[in-house]
Amino acid sequence: MSLMLLALALSQAAEADVAAAIAKTRSADRYAFKIETTLLSGSNASSTVAEGRYQKDQPTWMKSGETEVFRKGDSLVMLKKDVWRKVEDKDSARRGRGAFTVTGLRALQLPHEELAGILKRFSAIRKLDAKEGDQDVYMGELKEEAAKEILDANTESKADAAPTGTGRFWITPAGQIAMIEIIVRAKAKARANRDAGVSTWITLSEVGTAKLEVPEGAAKALEEK
């Protein structure tokens, strides 16, 4: 077998491994998660973090900074002074240091949603030689249009050059996704412009076993018209 054919076969095998792990993870009816995003503009970087718990057919719990919410469909309730209330317009821009706004939490894609079709964004996937702990690590190059889409969705910076990006997938011995890392960078050519970038880490845990309890007050508030 030629080196080119061998590389193609290894890439196809690696992609099949990741696809199987994604399918298994997405089929889980519950999990805990953490989503971290860092935006880069020149030498300045800002990060936001959210954690949450998902269970099929139940409201999703999320917390970012001091903001704690339950989300069900288009309905969103937040905890204010120990009382669960429907989110109001004045709450939409509320955010703390390192936290998502309430509007950001409403729009945040859950990990199983983010995983849908993610492999289509990559031109090739390969398995790295070294494990991290007991997890296998796979790496891929983002297609140019996928890198641009991610950058445009997260920053208003106008780069001189086309953005480039990479992704890594950590897979547990049980064949589930443990973490995803996606990094996109765009290099500025002119001094007046700034390098731009976005990095995202999605961490999954308790896949298939996570417990989620919805307080009575939150459940009632979600049903309010």
Side-chain angles (χ1 to χ4, degrees):
M1 181 182 292
S2 69
L3 291 178
M4 185 176 295
L5 289 176
L6 177 59
L8 177 61
L10 290 174
S11 177
Q12 290 174 336
E15 186 170 330
D17 290 344
V18 177
I22 288 173
K24 187 171 184 178
T25 305
R26 293 193 71 231
S27 68
D29 67 347
R30 62 187 70 200
Y31 56 79
F33 64 89
K34 182 166 73 170
I35 298 174
E36 303 173 73
T37 300
T38 296
L39 302 181
L40 175 68
S41 178
S43 60
N44 299 319
S46 60
S47 298
T48 50
V49 181
E51 60 178 318
R53 287 181 175 267
Y54 164 82
Q55 183 175 330
K56 187 177 180 181
D57 299 327
Q58 293 290 328
T60 298
W61 172 80
M62 291 181 285
K63 185 174 183 181
S64 186
E66 298 300 315
T67 302
E68 185 175 356
V69 304
F70 273 95
R71 190 178 82 185
K72 183 179 182 182
D74 293 329
S75 296
L76 192 74
V77 298
M78 64 185 295
L79 190 61
K80 299 173 66 176
K81 297 181 179 179
D82 297 325
V83 178
W84 289 99
R85 302 183 186 278
K86 272 286 184 70
V87 168
E88 302 172 356
D89 289 342
K90 63 182 180 181
D91 300 317
S92 298
R94 175 177 172 172
R95 80 180 279 177
R97 183 179 178 86
F100 284 88
T101 63
V102 173
T103 298
L105 290 175
R106 186 194 293 276
L108 193 64
Q109 274 203 314
L110 298 179
H112 68 276
E113 297 168 335
E114 192 71 38
L115 285 170
I118 193 171
L119 284 181
K120 295 179 181 178
R121 294 181 166 191
F122 292 88
S123 57
I125 299 287
R126 66 184 186 278
K127 184 177 181 180
L128 302 184
D129 293 334
K131 286 177 176 279
E132 291 198 13
D134 61 355
Q135 297 173 1
D136 291 319
V137 186
Y138 295 75
M139 187 171 185
E141 304 295 326
L142 278 170
K143 295 177 181 177
E144 183 178 317
E145 58 269 28
K148 186 177 186 304
E149 180 183 347
I150 292 170
L151 191 68
D152 289 347
N154 288 278
T155 177
E156 297 180 355
S157 299
K158 300 300 181 183
D160 299 319
T164 59
T166 59
R168 289 194 291 173
F169 301 82
W170 284 257
I171 299 179
T172 68
Q176 297 168 329
I177 298 292
M179 188 168 75
I180 303 167
E181 172 196 77
I182 295 179
I183 297 176
V184 175
R185 294 287 183 267
K187 191 74 175 175
K189 295 179 181 178
R191 288 186 179 181
N193 294 338
R194 295 182 172 184
D195 295 348
V198 55
S199 303
T200 300
W201 296 269
I202 301 173
T203 306
L204 291 154
S205 60
E206 302 177 61
V207 178
T209 63
K211 295 181 179 180
L212 175 63
E213 295 183 4
V214 183
E216 183 179 353
K220 287 183 178 180
L222 283 166
E223 297 304 321
E224 292 177 2
K225 300 300 183 182

